[in-house]
Amino acid sequence: NAGVTQTPKFRILKIGQSMTLQCTQDMNHNYMYWYRQDPGMGLKLIYYSVGAGITDKGEVPNGYNVSRSTTEDFPLRLELAAPSQTSVYFCASSYSREGSGNTIYFGEGSWLTVV
Amino acid sequence: AQSVTQLGSHVSVSEGALVLLRCNYSSSVPPYLFWYVQYPNQGLQLLLKYTTGATLVKGINGFEAEFKKSETSFHLTKPSAHMSDAAEYFCAVSVVRAGGSYIPTFGRGTSLIVHP
């Protein structure tokens, strides 16, 4: 079972470069998320999507963009990379309906360093 | 608005000792509550969750948590720690938002250290 797959696993970017983190899920989940994890800060929500064609900002959206053209894919775009975007990024998905508890399934993470 | 507070960024126990990881939440409506575990260089995986019904919830690997509404708490426990339990643990709360979406909020995490 693939679950949530994100690529690349590791990437080094130079300041000002752009890149896209890819994320795909094969569980037919309606919700997808991007989080960043910094030491001692827990998980911060960057963007989320409740279905194809619908996206919304989370806590820390600045410097990022997303799109959701299909149920399966939710890429995260970094424009003009800055050192503050050095972090571990997690893509996640869930099937959300009232009473289900909305259990989230995470990818294995993408380690991004901006130098 | 919902929020989660995990007391203690690090908890250290001896192998075989009781594990207690504390989580308090703030929510104006009945919450869904979760504990996730993260092993080094991996994503998070679900340990257990509370939706409705029985307030004592049992999860994987011998962990359990009790939802106490009066204390707004959802502490995680395990009677006897094992070396393999060393990991980062995250508490999360999820409530319905305007528009019907459920977006969880995570605590900052507690690192569990297990000594031989």
Side-chain angles (χ1 to χ4, degrees), chain A residues 3-112:
Chain A
V4 178
T5 303
Q6 51 181 115
T7 58
K9 194 168 181 68
F10 301 97
R11 182 73 186 268
I12 298 175
L13 274 182
K14 294 184 178 179
I15 294 172
Q17 286 185 321
S18 300
M19 74 161 295
T20 299
L21 296 175
Q22 302 291 344
C23 177
T24 187
Q25 53 95 5
D26 63 358
M27 297 174 282
N28 200 32
H29 285 169
N30 51 350
Y31 281 40
M32 294 189 75
Y33 317 79
W34 275 105
Y35 290 91
R36 60 176 287 172
Q37 183 180 29
D38 301 298
M41 300 302 292
L43 293 166
K44 299 293 186 184
L45 182 64
I46 305 172
Y47 271 95
Y48 68 97
S49 169
V50 300
I54 306 169
T55 63
D56 208 349
K57 296 178 180 179
E59 301 173 75
V60 291
N62 292 343
Y64 307 95
N65 279 298
V66 294
S67 60
R68 183 100 181 267
S69 58
T70 66
T71 299
E72 296 79 18
D73 300 309
F74 191 45
L76 177 71
R77 177 81 176 163
L78 280 72
E79 304 283 1
L80 299 175
S84 61
Q85 293 179 303
T86 294
S87 188
V88 183
Y89 292 84
F90 288 99
C91 181
S93 70
S94 67
Y95 183 65
S96 181
R97 66 178 189 274
E98 187 172 353
S100 74
N102 199 23
T103 300
I104 292 183
Y105 296 83
F106 286 84
E108 294 192 345
S110 296
W111 275 253
L112 177 66

